[in-house]
Amino acid sequence: MRRFFCILASAVALVASATGLSDSNSLPDRQIDSLLTSHKLVYIDGRPADAGTQEYVDSIRRKISEFYYDQFRAFSDPAAPYFMFLSKDASLAMGIGGAVRMRAYYDWGGAMPTSAFVPYLIPMHPSPVSMRHLGTTPAGTCLYFKVFGRNKMLGDYQLYIEGNFSGYESRDFKIKKAYAIVNDFTVGYASSTFSDPAALPPIVDAQGPNNKIAPTSVLVRYMPVVRDKWVFAASVEMPSSAVDADNDATQAVDNWMPDFAAFAQYQWARGQHVRLSGVVRTLSYRDVAAATNHNIAGWGLQLSSVAHPATPVTTYATLNYGHGYAGLGGDLMMGRYDLVGDPAKPGKMYAPASFGWCLGVQYNIRPNLFVSASASATRYLPSHEVAPDEYKRGMFGAVNVFWNLTPRMQVAAELDLGMRRNFSGEHRYARRAGLMCMFSF
């Protein structure tokens, strides 16, 4: 596998050099550069003498740019804070920021039962009273604190806390992330090492592509950068399994072993990379009749990339496959597909396979205005017979336009199309039109 990835990365690097992928002056990067100038610096113990020099300004912008070129930053994450508090020697910086986000959506031809557009939840036989639906949601409105610092003993460190209005009816405030980074180590509640949020295309709907792997868990991660081009990561993560035990012949056993995740990444320019990620899990259940506990190995692989093949173009791609990893994201996390029962052997369970992909392209008309299109799919691949009305596969497609009216105000519009197909062959489509307005501060 290592040899395969090295060959793949070398091929991508060669293509990047030949086609201009290494151009770091893309239109999305220019939009980020404009954001780097929209900040107010507040000095907490006096303004330094060299604060007006270009060297000092560039050093501050490089620090703020870490918000936008974070390895685990998603497109929907808020912008860097407008107000930054700096110590005189620039050894400590703190930002308080957030975003106010409102979405409005309209379903027709059979309404989705949730504010998120999830193909798995498409009603196969919609009620006549729920054929159309108009809704709004403030989900994605958030507040966060971030601290950058440098200590003689610890070296460089970061602290981050984010809360999001995405709880009950998308109005309850709950913790989304809380972690500390000390040099190459991350400790806390953060995005899983198995995920690659930057490789997911921009989507107005909160759910995103239906193969999206984006779990958040308590973890300890080591992530060194080698020669600026290679990034490696390995982590131990708190598990959360979805076991379809019937509580008669089988029972779910408490999680007792952490998940282990890792990735290897080649990056040829800022915000452009190809990554191979993997996760290994221990999934446990109890055979009630035999009075024995069993442990099944689950695993998943994901190949992902984000690139700028031309100045106005950004491409996104993810491909994932495995056994017993469905609970980590995508359509199948709506059910319990990490372990399922074997109908031919009561009391026995197994980790079924699943497969997903997503492709997206973004075209920037101007740095602050772009259109994008994406398609994604998830396929459930059990090795034993299932009920005819069981989910077999789902597809999701979106076309949208995003416009940054100012560096900190964004509006967007989107059309979504989803499809659910069952093992019986029965299928149904769902449609949605959505609008979004967001202000970051």
Side-chain angles (χ1 to χ4, degrees):
M1 184 61 71
R2 181 181 296 177
R3 179 177 298 178
F4 165 76
F5 182 75
C6 290
I7 293 173
L8 176 64
S10 299
V12 171
L14 181 62
V15 173
S17 176
T19 61
L21 282 174
S22 59
D23 178 16
S24 61
N25 196 33
S26 67
L27 293 186
D29 286 327
R30 294 178 195 175
Q31 171 61 19
I32 291 175
D33 289 340
S34 72
L35 282 168
L36 297 180
T37 65
S38 65
H39 299 277
K40 279 286 187 182
L41 302 181
V42 180
Y43 299 96
I44 57 179
D45 54 3
R47 182 182 175 90
D50 61 345
T53 66
Q54 190 61 44
E55 181 180 359
Y56 183 89
V57 172
D58 289 343
S59 68
I60 297 301
R61 288 183 180 177
R62 281 194 299 271
K63 183 63 67 176
I64 297 174
S65 70
E66 294 181 22
F67 277 89
Y68 302 105
Y69 294 107
D70 184 291
Q71 292 291 350
F72 295 97
R73 175 179 169 79
F75 174 81
S76 59
D77 286 348
Y82 180 73
F83 290 102
M84 295 286 292
F85 298 89
L86 263 65
S87 62
K88 188 174 182 178
D89 60 0
S91 63
L92 183 68
M94 183 181 75
I96 303 173
V100 176
R101 187 186 337 242
M102 287 298 302
R103 294 183 178 96
Y105 58 93
Y106 175 72
D107 295 349
W108 70 97
M112 192 74 70
T114 62
S115 61
F117 192 82
V118 186
Y120 182 93
L121 299 178
I122 293 175
M124 303 304 290
H125 305 284
S127 168
V129 300
S130 300
M131 296 301 293
R132 293 176 291 182
H133 181 73
L134 176 66
T136 59
T137 174
T141 296
C142 63
L143 291 170
Y144 69 87
F145 300 83
K146 187 156 189 174
V147 173
F148 295 98
R150 182 168 183 81
N151 181 274
K152 291 182 179 180
M153 182 178 69
L154 297 177
D156 292 328
Y157 66 88
Q158 299 179 34
L159 305 174
Y160 187 80
I161 300 175
E162 181 180 345
N164 205 300
F165 289 93
S166 56
Y168 176 70
E169 293 185 346
S170 299
R171 290 173 173 83
D172 282 358
F173 190 72
K174 67 176 185 178
I175 194 73
K176 183 179 180 182
K177 295 178 182 178
Y179 59 84
I181 299 176
V182 181
N183 295 321
D184 295 331
F185 288 92
T186 300
V187 180
Y189 188 55
S191 296
S192 169
T193 303
F194 185 50
S195 67
D196 189 359
L200 298 173
I203 300 291
V204 168
D205 186 81
Q207 182 66 18
N210 71 329
N211 78 316
K212 181 175 71 173
I213 302 295
T216 304
S217 62
V218 176
L219 54 79
V220 177
R221 175 166 52 229
Y222 176 59
M223 190 174 70
V225 179
V226 180
R227 296 182 180 178
D228 294 328
K229 297 295 184 181
W230 290 92
V231 183
F232 300 93
S235 64
V236 179
E237 307 185 2
M238 187 68 185
S240 179
S241 58
V243 178
D244 190 31
D246 60 13
N247 292 320
D248 183 14
T250 57
Q251 292 179 327
V253 172
D254 289 346
N255 294 311
W256 61 277
M257 177 68 75
D259 292 348
F260 299 93
F263 75 67
Q265 171 179 299
Y266 179 78
Q267 54 189 22
W268 53 90
R270 60 178 186 174
Q272 302 184 68
H273 66 252
V274 60
R275 177 187 296 182
L276 181 64
S277 312
V279 65
V280 178
R281 321 178 70 200
T282 298
L283 306 168
S284 303
Y285 75 95
R286 183 171 181 81
D287 183 335
V288 175
T292 55
N293 291 352
H294 299 268
N295 302 312
I296 305 296
W299 59 272
L301 291 174
Q302 177 166 271
L303 182 64
S304 56
S305 177
V306 57
H308 300 305
T311 301
V313 177
T314 305
T315 58
Y316 305 88
T318 58
L319 179 69
N320 39 59
Y321 175 80
H323 288 254
Y325 79 105
L328 298 178
D331 257 11
L332 294 176
M333 74 177 299
M334 298 293 107
R336 307 185 70 82
Y337 292 97
D338 288 344
L339 286 181
V340 298
D342 182 346
K345 300 178 180 178
K348 302 299 180 183
M349 305 189 78
Y350 72 100
S354 57
F355 169 79
W357 60 266
C358 177
L359 295 173
V361 61
Q362 170 182 324
Y363 183 86
N364 276 69
I365 301 168
R366 296 198 299 267
N368 65 333
L369 174 65
F370 70 82
V371 294
S372 80
S374 61
S376 60
T378 290
R379 178 74 181 267
Y380 179 43
L381 301 168
S383 56
H384 299 286
E385 184 179 356
V386 299
D389 63 350
E390 178 63 85
Y391 173 100
K392 182 177 182 180
R393 64 184 174 95
M395 298 194 71
F396 171 77
V399 292
N400 50 49
V401 56
F402 284 80
W403 183 18
N404 290 281
L405 299 170
T406 72
R408 296 190 168 273
M409 183 176 180
Q410 183 182 77
V411 295
E414 180 172 274
L415 290 175
D416 300 323
L417 177 66
M419 186 272 289
R420 170 178 171 148
R421 180 181 293 274
N422 292 340
F423 276 88
S424 65
E426 183 181 24
H427 65 280
R428 189 171 182 88
Y429 290 90
R431 305 159 188 83
R432 171 171 290 184
L435 297 173
M436 188 271 293
C437 180
M438 181 178 73
F439 181 83
S440 296
F441 59 90

